[in-house]
């Protein structure tokens, strides 16, 4: 993770330079307002937590940021430039994500999965690929080497030739992180990176995210595990019914009575819309 | 999807010994029966009326019986005597099952062919029935054998010269076989030969030699490819200047080149194109119009290289026009739009006749009298003498088409093993995730579509000169369906598979003329059977196989090796 290119982008950024700036992001599905005027600012090198009960709109907010959904209204800008809601533009600008329900390319090997992440940072076109000149071969070799390097970075040096679908669950989550890192992001969006993990794996994930931050990346992480959020985050947003209820340090947010009420309230009297169990939505402490 | 299991492992363990004995009796009968007469009339197949003198077809039956015998005896007597490390080199029982199934199919084909060619089952003489009974015994018996799970021969490292010799023998064998099969004009014998070859190939794969061949030849891949091309190149020299087989061969090559282009669209990018033939047609019409034919409405006659490029570009522009609005929406729309496009293309070509539209194509009469190609002074219309062998007109085109196919193969293989190929796989796997990872989904789809169209256009340009005339009714939906069938049948995403599929689909109607009325029926049945038992095609790409068997853990676990039940698998992706 300490390639010179990466280091260079990091050095050019001021420590508190604003990376991501979302203003009034709103997403409507028919009558349902899933995300309602959410503001979010992320500075370089920050880890921001996003919490909230099931169906609060966290994943939908991510989808709006990454261009998978086109927000009904609101603006997103990245490193000072407005961002078109197109996934490719977003990735190129420097924002990559993982998915809540793992979306790896199951029938590709782990290495190939990460190599796909390099797609937007490589340029071999049809003719180059058919002729396979020295430039093509150099780029392929670099892609391969970088992918292997990233597999090592997330702690899976030996799985390069294993099919993604044959990996254990925890490794699949880490592979998704490696694939996202392959796009050379400045900001990483992680959607429940520890869902379904045992305490030991959760601990490893924590360490991994710390190391990612040390390489100069900013991270926004959706989590239900409060201890995880507490250990990692500089700042936490609590989203309820599509809008930001509280924003502050982990201590402030965790002790805020409204947050506790929101969690207990919704999981008790609102039917679960996302199909996950109620405990998933409650803060685990 | 699992096949129904009548014979369970439990039963196999209990009755394996009986099964072996029954199969052995069947094998002995199969070896002996060819010496008996199989038919009452000598017009059936290749004269199987003699007692004590097997005909060539009967020898094929004998060979299957002998192979079965070898498998059975080796499993019982050879394996226990080997050192432990070598006991699992071959999967004898698995091989025995395969060859017994093949023998049964073979004998059934013989009986049916005799009955059809002579008019009734009464014309099958006792030897034919005995052989069939032997095959049935062998089939039933081998069902009770416990199949070996894997053959380990693939892991044995063999000296390079041995591998090269085997490659040479395999290639020469295929050359002789193809030449022989093309000369065969009795439909019964032809099908029996096909079944025999199929049985032999499956036997070789199942018994463990397939694993050895693919793992050993991986080191000599360029040699293998060169040898294959050399064999293909040598084929016209075996034909004594005759045009008959060469004309079939060129048709196969045109069909195969087009199918390979379609395989980029369907097999690699995963787009269902039901109107691909229209791109071939577009290329053919462009080439015909620019050919200098007296019936062409355009006087300009550029050199062929230019014509080829224009044909390809026109086809790919059509591809862009069809693709850019439809590729943004999900898959099914594309299938419908391309289906319609194929029809529209044909109708437009019919109507560009000067009455209903501008005069470009002479309507349904098309453009006849397209002159033969003349490249650098080499006239494709004239026979030439090369190395003392006369090379007739079709053989000239054959060589050109070989070059074309070589080109398509290079394009296919290199795209597959590149950033673009990885992008296509990612799109097939999970389009949304690919998009979120920065893959240019729309661009890659459009490129596959237009690039495939370009290749078809180029093939069409050669086809126009080869066919001498171009008419709209050559480019109908049925042809698109056959192209797609060649891809699906042979194996989506593989080169060898599509070559095999295209060859089978073009050769069979040629050799089975009497079957013409039932051609579509048989074709449909074949596809249904394939979809049920081997949806990934005859020669599967590893990845496609995984995609079609999402729940098969065992298959997924064997990423590196060839499981005995999986047939030949093309390695994919650069290692
Ligand atoms: N594509 C869609 N169409 C319609 N409604 C949607 C769509 N996507 C999300 N929603 C709705 O938007 C709301 C927010 O869902 P979202 O998945 O963002 O919640 P979440 O905060 O991520 O919850 P969880 O913690 O369970 O992951 C839910 O009510 C959901 O049903
Ligand atoms: Mg969510």
């Amino acid at each position: 993770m300490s390639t010179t290119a990466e280091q260079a982008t990091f050095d050019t950024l001021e420590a508190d330079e604003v990376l991501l700036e979302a203003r009034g992001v709103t997403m409507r599905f028919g009558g349902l307002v899933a995300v309602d005027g959410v503001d979010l600012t992320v500075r370089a090198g920050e880890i921001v937590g996003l919490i909230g009960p099931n169906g609060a709109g966290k994943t939908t907010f991510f989808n709006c940021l990454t261009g998978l959904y086109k927000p009904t209204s609101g603006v997103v800008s990245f490193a000072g430039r407005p961002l078109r809601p197109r996934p490719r533009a977003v990735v190129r600008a420097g924002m990559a994500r993982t998915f809540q329900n793992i979306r790896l390319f199951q029938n590709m090997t782990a290495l190939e999965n990460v190599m796909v992440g390099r797609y937007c940072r490589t340029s071999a076109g049809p003719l180059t690929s058919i002729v396979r000149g020295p430039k093509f071969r150099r780029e392929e070799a670099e892609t391969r080497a970088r992918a292997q390097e990233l597999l090592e970075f997330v702690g899976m040096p030996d799985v390069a030739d294993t099919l993604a679908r044959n990996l254990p669950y925890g490794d699949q989550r880490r592979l998704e992180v490696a694939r996202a890192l392959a796009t050379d992001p400045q900001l990483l969006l992680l959607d429940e990176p520890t869902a379904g993990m045992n305490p030991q794996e959760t601990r490893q994930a924590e360490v991994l995210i710390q190391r990612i931050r040390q390489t100069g990346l900013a991270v926004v992480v959706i989590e239900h595990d409060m201890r995880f959020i507490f250990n990692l985050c500089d700042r936490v947003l609590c989203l309820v019914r599509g809008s930001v209820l509280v924003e502050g340090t982990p201590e402030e947010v965790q002790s805020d009575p409204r947050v506790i009420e929101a969690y207990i309230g919704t999981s008790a009297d609102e039917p679960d819309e996302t199909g996950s169990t109620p405990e998933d939505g409650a803060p685990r402490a | 999807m699992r096949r129904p299991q009548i014979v369970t492992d439990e039963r196999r363990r209990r009755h394996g010994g009986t099964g072996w004995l029954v199969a052995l009796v069947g094998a002995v009968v199969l070896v002996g029966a060819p010496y008996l007469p199989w038919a009452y009339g000598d017009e059936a197949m290749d004269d199987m009326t003699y007692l004590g003198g097997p005909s060539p077809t009967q020898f094929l039956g004998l060979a299957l019986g002998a192979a079965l015998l070898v498998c059975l005896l080796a499993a019982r007597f050879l394996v226990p005597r080997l050192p432990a490390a070598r006991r699992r080199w071959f999967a004898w029982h698995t091989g025995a099952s395969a060859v017994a199934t093949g023998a049964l199919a073979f004998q059934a084909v013989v009986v049916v062919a005799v009955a059809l060619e002579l008019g009734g089952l009464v014309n099958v003489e006792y030897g034919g029935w005995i052989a069939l009974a032997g095959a049935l015994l062998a089939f039933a018996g081998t069902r009770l054998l416990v199949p070996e799970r894997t053959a380990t021969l693939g892991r044995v490292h063999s000296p390079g010269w041995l591998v090269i010799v085997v490659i040479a023998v395999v290639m020469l064998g295929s050359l002789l076989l193809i030449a022989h099969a093309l000369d065969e004009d009795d439909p019964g014998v032809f099908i029996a030969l096909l079944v025999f070859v199929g049985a032999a190939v499956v036997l070789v794969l199942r018994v463990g030699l397939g694993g050895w061949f693919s793992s050993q030849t991986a080191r000599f891949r360029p040699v293998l490819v060169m040898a294959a091309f050399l064999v293909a190149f040598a084929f016209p020299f075996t034909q004594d200047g005759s045009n008959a087989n060469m004309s079939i061969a060129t048709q196969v090559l045109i069909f195969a080149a087009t199918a390979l282009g379609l395989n980029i669209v369907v097999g690699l990018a995963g787009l269902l194109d039901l109107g691909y033939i229209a791109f071939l047609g577009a290329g053919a019409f462009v080439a015909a119009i620019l050919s200098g034919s007296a019936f062409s409405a355009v006087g300009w006659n550029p050199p062929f290289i230019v014509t080829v490029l224009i044909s390809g570009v026109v086809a790919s522009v059509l591809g862009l026009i069809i693709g850019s609005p439809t590729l943004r929406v999900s898959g099914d729309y594309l299938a419908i739009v391309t289906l319609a496009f194929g029809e529209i293309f044909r109708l437009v070509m019919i109507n560009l006749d000067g009455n209903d539209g501008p005069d470009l194509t002479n309507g349904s009469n098309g453009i006849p009298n397209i002159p033969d190609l003349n490249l650098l002074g080499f006239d494709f219309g004239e026979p030439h003498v090369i190395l003392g062998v006369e090379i007739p007109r079709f053989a000239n085109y054959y060589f050109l088409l070989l070059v074309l196919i070589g080109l398509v193969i290079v394009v296919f293989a290199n795209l597959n093993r590149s950033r673009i190929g990885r992008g296509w796989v990612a799109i097939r796997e999970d389009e949304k995730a690919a998009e979120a990872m920065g893959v240019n989904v729309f661009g890659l789809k459009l490129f596959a579509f237009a690039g495939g169209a370009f290749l078809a256009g180029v093939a069409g340009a050669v086809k126009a000169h080869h066919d001498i005339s171009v008419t709209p009714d050559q480019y109908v939906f049925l042809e698109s369906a056959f192209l797609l069938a060649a891809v699906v049948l042979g194996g989506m995403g593989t080169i060898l598979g599509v070559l095999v599929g295209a060859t089978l689909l073009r050769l069979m109607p040629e050799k089975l003329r009497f079957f013409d009325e039932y051609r579509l029926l048989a074709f449909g049945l074949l596809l249904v059977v394939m979809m049920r038992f081997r949806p990934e095609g005859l020669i599967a790409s590893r990845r496609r196989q995984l995609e079609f068997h999402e729940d098969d853990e065992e298959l997924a676990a064997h990423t590196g090796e060839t499981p005995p039940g999986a047939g030949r698998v093309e390695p994919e992706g650069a290692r």
Side-chain angles (χ1 to χ4, degrees):
Chain A
M1 281 299 290
S2 53
T3 57
T4 46
E6 194 116 335
Q7 216 57 48
T9 48
F10 181 42
D11 290 342
T12 56
L13 291 168
E14 291 296 316
D16 58 348
E17 185 183 334
V18 172
L19 262 188
L20 174 74
E21 177 125 42
R23 285 284 159 266
V25 173
T26 303
M27 184 76 217
R28 280 206 184 81
F29 299 110
L32 176 81
V33 188
V35 179
D36 190 2
V38 174
D39 297 340
L40 172 68
T41 307
V42 182
R43 283 165 225 285
E46 242 187 337
I47 300 185
V48 178
L50 197 57
I51 62 170
N54 288 136
K58 305 181 294 294
T59 300
T60 307
F61 181 56
F62 265 21
N63 287 344
C64 291
L65 293 181
T66 53
L68 286 185
Y69 291 162
K70 190 177 176 302
T72 318
S73 65
V75 283
V76 180
S77 55
F78 194 84
R81 294 219 197 101
L83 209 53
R84 281 183 310 135
R86 293 256 180 285
R88 219 151 57 88
V90 169
V91 174
R92 288 187 157 218
M95 185 154 58
R97 68 172 293 175
T98 65
F99 293 90
Q100 180 172 357
N101 41 354
I102 299 174
R103 295 184 80 161
L104 286 168
F105 308 119
Q106 296 289 339
N107 293 315
M108 297 175 96
T109 65
L111 191 73
E112 286 168 335
N113 266 278
V114 185
M115 285 170 86
V116 170
R118 295 297 300 160
Y119 186 94
C120 62
R121 301 294 176 203
T122 46
S123 61
L127 271 184
T128 335
S129 303
I130 291 167
V131 179
R132 290 180 118 65
K135 183 173 161 286
F136 172 86
R137 273 182 265 144
R138 195 169 347 110
E139 192 180 272
E140 274 291 297
E142 274 167 17
T143 303
R144 192 167 290 272
R146 178 87 174 109
Q148 180 62 36
E149 196 186 343
L150 282 168
L151 282 180
E152 279 156 27
F153 178 78
V154 299
M156 320 195 287
D158 306 320
V159 298
D161 291 332
T162 311
L163 289 182
R165 72 188 218 182
N166 287 347
L167 289 174
Y169 188 81
D171 286 2
Q172 295 201 8
R173 285 224 174 269
R174 283 195 282 170
L175 181 56
E176 256 207 342
V177 173
R179 185 179 69 176
L181 287 175
T183 65
D184 288 348
Q186 295 170 41
L187 172 62
L188 195 60
L189 305 178
L190 303 173
D191 196 343
E192 304 201 14
T194 70
M197 283 187 172
N198 62 32
Q200 192 204 339
E201 288 171 326
T202 305
R203 187 64 213 135
Q204 282 178 355
E206 239 174 78
V207 175
L208 178 61
I209 294 173
Q210 292 282 14
R211 282 172 52 218
I212 290 173
R213 187 237 291 268
Q214 276 158 25
T215 65
L217 271 69
V219 180
V220 179
V221 53
I222 298 178
E223 248 316 322
H224 287 303
D225 186 334
M226 286 309 273
R227 194 166 43 172
F228 184 88
I229 291 281
F230 202 85
N231 289 346
L232 271 178
C233 299
D234 306 315
R235 202 148 50 83
V236 179
L237 270 76
C238 178
L239 218 59
V240 175
R241 290 169 208 252
S243 36
V244 180
L245 184 71
V246 191
E247 179 175 352
T249 64
E251 293 83 352
E252 287 166 4
V253 172
Q254 201 185 20
S255 56
D256 195 303
R258 287 174 298 173
V259 174
I260 296 164
E261 190 199 344
Y263 265 97
I264 295 168
T266 43
S267 51
D269 56 39
E270 237 175 51
D272 189 355
E273 283 159 294
T274 49
S276 42
T277 52
E279 305 96 82
D280 259 354
R284 282 176 264 151
Chain B
M1 196 161 62
R2 288 195 62 86
R3 295 184 205 185
Q5 265 215 325
I6 302 160
V7 188
T8 57
D9 285 349
E10 163 59 22
R11 277 197 202 135
R12 282 204 181 109
R13 263 188 295 281
R14 218 168 338 126
H15 304 292
T18 326
W20 184 84
L21 212 60
V22 171
L24 190 73
V25 172
V28 171
V29 171
L30 278 173
V31 170
Y35 290 91
L36 307 174
W38 283 7
Y40 278 108
D42 56 6
E43 310 90 70
M45 303 184 76
D46 51 359
D47 193 0
M48 312 186 298
T49 54
Y50 293 100
L51 181 65
S55 76
T57 303
Q58 286 177 301
F59 260 118
L60 296 183
L62 193 154
L64 289 178
L68 176 59
L69 206 56
V70 169
C71 285
L72 292 171
L73 294 178
R76 178 59 56 99
F77 299 112
L78 181 65
V79 171
R81 286 185 173 71
L82 291 175
R86 299 185 180 179
R87 276 191 203 153
R88 311 200 46 180
W89 272 9
F90 293 96
W92 294 113
H93 280 166
T94 318
S97 296
V99 75
T101 312
L104 183 60
F106 180 84
Q107 297 299 345
V109 164
V110 168
V111 166
V112 171
V114 170
L116 283 179
E117 289 181 22
L118 294 180
L121 282 172
V122 288
N123 296 296
V124 181
E125 220 182 321
Y126 65 95
W129 293 118
I130 290 178
L132 184 63
L136 271 172
L137 277 183
F139 181 78
T142 49
R143 289 320 94 170
L144 289 172
L145 297 177
V146 183
E148 296 88 351
R149 257 182 295 117
T150 44
T152 58
L153 196 63
R155 297 185 202 137
V156 177
H157 190 86
S158 309
W161 62 266
L162 182 65
V163 181
I164 304 266
V165 167
V166 171
I167 290 178
V169 169
V170 167
M171 289 303 161
L172 264 180
S174 2
L175 177 63
L176 293 178
L177 183 81
I178 291 169
H180 179 72
L182 276 175
D183 278 336
E184 193 53 68
D185 34 58
D186 181 289
V189 176
F190 181 77
I191 296 203
L193 185 64
L194 271 189
V195 172
F196 173 79
V197 171
V201 169
V202 175
L203 166 68
V204 164
L205 292 175
R206 296 277 160 105
V207 92
L209 285 170
W212 179 84
F213 192 72
S214 58
S215 73
Q216 300 302 309
T217 52
R219 286 186 286 152
F220 296 99
R221 218 169 163 70
V223 177
L224 190 65
V225 173
M226 286 307 294
F229 260 92
L230 217 63
V231 163
F233 195 77
F235 175 67
F237 295 95
T238 66
Q239 296 299 307
D240 289 335
S242 140
N243 247 334
N245 285 341
M246 290 321 298
S247 116
I248 299 178
T250 48
Q251 283 177 39
V252 168
L253 283 191
I254 292 173
F255 190 67
T258 319
L260 271 173
L262 178 62
N263 199 18
I264 294 181
V265 183
V266 177
L268 297 188
L271 303 168
L272 188 50
D273 186 346
L274 293 177
Y276 195 66
I277 199 74
F279 299 125
L280 186 75
F285 267 106
V286 170
I289 290 169
L290 299 181
S291 69
S293 157
F295 294 86
S296 160
V298 176
W300 187 42
N301 177 19
F304 185 63
I305 301 293
V306 178
T307 306
V308 160
L309 288 179
I310 296 179
S311 301
V313 168
V314 167
S316 60
V317 166
L318 282 179
L320 288 179
I321 294 173
I322 302 307
S324 41
T326 46
L327 287 170
R328 286 191 194 277
V329 287
S330 72
D332 308 345
Y333 293 95
L334 184 69
I336 295 167
V337 170
T338 50
L339 178 71
F341 168 67
E343 277 308 285
I344 292 170
F345 171 79
R346 191 173 60 86
L347 292 174
V348 167
M349 290 305 114
I350 289 177
N351 283 309
L352 290 179
D353 58 357
N355 291 331
D356 305 302
D359 184 13
L360 256 179
T361 64
N362 293 326
S364 43
N365 295 328
I367 300 174
N369 268 3
I370 300 171
D372 271 305
L373 282 177
N374 191 327
L375 290 183
L376 307 170
F378 185 88
D379 186 347
F380 279 68
E382 296 291 318
H384 296 262
V385 175
I386 300 175
L387 300 175
V389 182
E390 189 182 292
I391 297 299
R393 175 178 183 271
F394 280 119
N396 296 332
Y397 282 100
Y398 176 91
F399 290 129
L400 181 65
L401 286 163
L402 265 191
V403 174
L404 177 70
I405 270 214
L407 242 124
V408 180
I409 288 179
V410 167
V411 170
F412 182 98
N414 284 357
L415 283 179
N416 191 16
R417 296 178 298 125
S418 74
R419 163 180 181 263
I420 293 176
R422 274 194 302 277
W424 281 332
V425 180
I427 293 172
R428 286 198 332 245
E429 288 278 316
D430 186 337
E431 190 170 323
K432 271 273 166 286
E435 203 167 12
M437 286 303 123
V439 174
N440 185 353
V441 172
F442 177 67
L444 279 186
K445 283 183 175 181
L446 197 59
F447 166 65
F449 203 69
F454 183 91
L455 292 178
V458 169
V462 179
K463 181 174 158 62
H465 288 273
H466 167 273
D467 287 358
I468 299 176
S469 85
V470 176
T471 56
D473 63 1
Q474 290 168 304
Y475 304 96
V476 291
F477 168 66
L478 199 60
E479 289 297 316
S480 288
F482 269 104
L483 280 170
L484 195 62
V487 172
V488 173
L489 194 77
M492 277 190 275
T494 66
I495 294 166
L496 190 60
V498 173
L499 289 179
V500 170
T503 309
L504 284 180
L505 279 185
R506 248 313 102 104
L507 216 52
M508 295 239 258
E510 213 44 65
K511 286 292 160 194
L512 310 176
R513 286 250 172 247
F514 75 100
F515 208 58
D516 246 9
E517 296 153 63
Y518 305 105
R519 196 171 74 150
L520 287 181
L521 179 70
F523 173 63
L525 278 178
L526 183 68
L527 281 185
V528 170
V529 170
M530 281 295 289
M531 288 307 104
R532 171 65 186 80
F533 290 104
R534 208 172 156 79
E536 63 270 39
L538 289 175
I539 295 166
S541 93
R542 157 69 57 189
R543 186 109 56 204
R544 282 290 185 176
Q545 209 167 27
L546 289 167
E547 285 168 22
F548 276 112
H549 302 277
E550 286 290 355
D551 47 359
D552 192 338
E553 296 305 325
E554 203 184 332
L555 179 67
H558 289 275
T559 7
E561 55 193 299
T562 317
R568 216 201 98 99
V569 171
E570 283 227 322
E572 225 180 324
R575 278 287 104 95

